Each structure stands twice: as C-alpha cells, then as structure tokens.
Amino acid sequence: QLQVVQYGGGAVQPGASLTLSCVVSGSTSGVYSVAWFRQTPRQAPGSEREGVAGISSAGSTRYAESVEGRFTISQDSLQMNQLKPEDTGMYYCAAVPMRWNRLVPGDYTYWGQGTQVTVSS
C-alpha cells in the first residue's frame, strides 16, 4: 500500500513559477507511477478531476495539452512555469503500483490530500 503526501502550492501572479512536491512511500518494489490532477473553478460541479501530467516508473511522461511546455513532472515534483489564471485550482498527486503514465483519475489508487494553487494578479 502506498502513501502519498504532497507539499507546496500557494498564490502567485501570472507568469510566475511554483513547485509542488509529492512524497510516495510504502512501495516494496520501487515500481509505481505518479500523476498530477486538478480540480478547477471552470469545471462543472461533479466533473472528473483533470489530468495534468503523469510519469511512469521508467520515466516516461505525458502532459495535458494545456500545460505542455510549461509544466515538468518528475517522480517527486511538478514544476509549473509561466502560470496562468486558468491554472488555478486544487492540485492532487496520485500514485499507483503500475508502469504507466495515464491521466485518468480512475487509474490511480492512492491520493494526496490536495493543495491549492491560485494564479491571480
């Protein structure tokens, strides 16, 4: 069973950078994938969390089109550059003992507590 604890977040101005950290523990094999999801105010109530970025245990990455070129995921962090107001939302780190980099919330079993990111001038 994996445990996921995330750190970081906060309020920044458009164009700024922010790093979110994700600590995954409890893996006995060292094989797990990590992904970041977010829930934004623009989404309709009850909508599924939006996949932002994912990384497999082998280091293969996948990004949502909206963050491609601005966000960088690693096994323990999400570096967010050139932040925009539409990036505002609650961000969640998730992990699963599999070898994929999918961005579907249902594919992940273990979730962090969530952290707020606010981008506003």
Side-chain angles (χ1 to χ4, degrees), residues 54-67:
I55 184 167
S56 72
S57 57
S60 175
T61 59
R62 181 191 298 266
Y63 295 94
E65 187 176 336
S66 59
V67 307

Side-chain angles (χ1 to χ4, degrees), residues 4 14 35 48 56 61 71 78 82 86-87 92-94 96-97 103 111:
V4 180
E48 190 173 71
S56 72
T61 59
F71 290 14
L78 180 68
Q82 301 171 46
E86 49 264 43
D87 293 319
Y92 298 89
C93 180
V96 65
L103 296 182
W111 291 79

Side-chain angles (χ1 to χ4, degrees), residues 55-105:
I55 184 167
S56 72
S57 57
S60 175
T61 59
R62 181 191 298 266
Y63 295 94
E65 187 176 336
S66 59
V67 307
E68 183 86 54
R70 299 189 297 120
F71 290 14
T72 303
I73 188 173
S74 68
Q75 282 286 338
D76 59 6
S77 69
L78 180 68
Q79 174 67 41
M80 304 184 292
N81 297 327
Q82 301 171 46
L83 283 162
K84 304 176 180 181
E86 49 264 43
D87 293 319
T88 294
M90 185 68 77
Y91 283 69
Y92 298 89
C93 180
V96 65
M98 299 296 286
R99 300 177 185 268
W100 58 49
N101 57 13
R102 300 176 185 174
L103 296 182
V104 178

Side-chain angles (χ1 to χ4, degrees), residues 6 8-11 18 20 39 41 87-91 114-119:
Q6 54 185 103
L18 207 57
L20 305 181
Q39 199 84 53
D87 293 319
T88 294
M90 185 68 77
Y91 283 69
T115 185
Q116 179 67 36
V117 172
T118 302
V119 185

Side-chain angles (χ1 to χ4, degrees), residues 27-41:
S27 174
T28 57
S29 65
V31 175
Y32 58 87
S33 298
V34 174
W36 288 89
F37 297 85
R38 65 187 180 188
Q39 199 84 53
T40 71

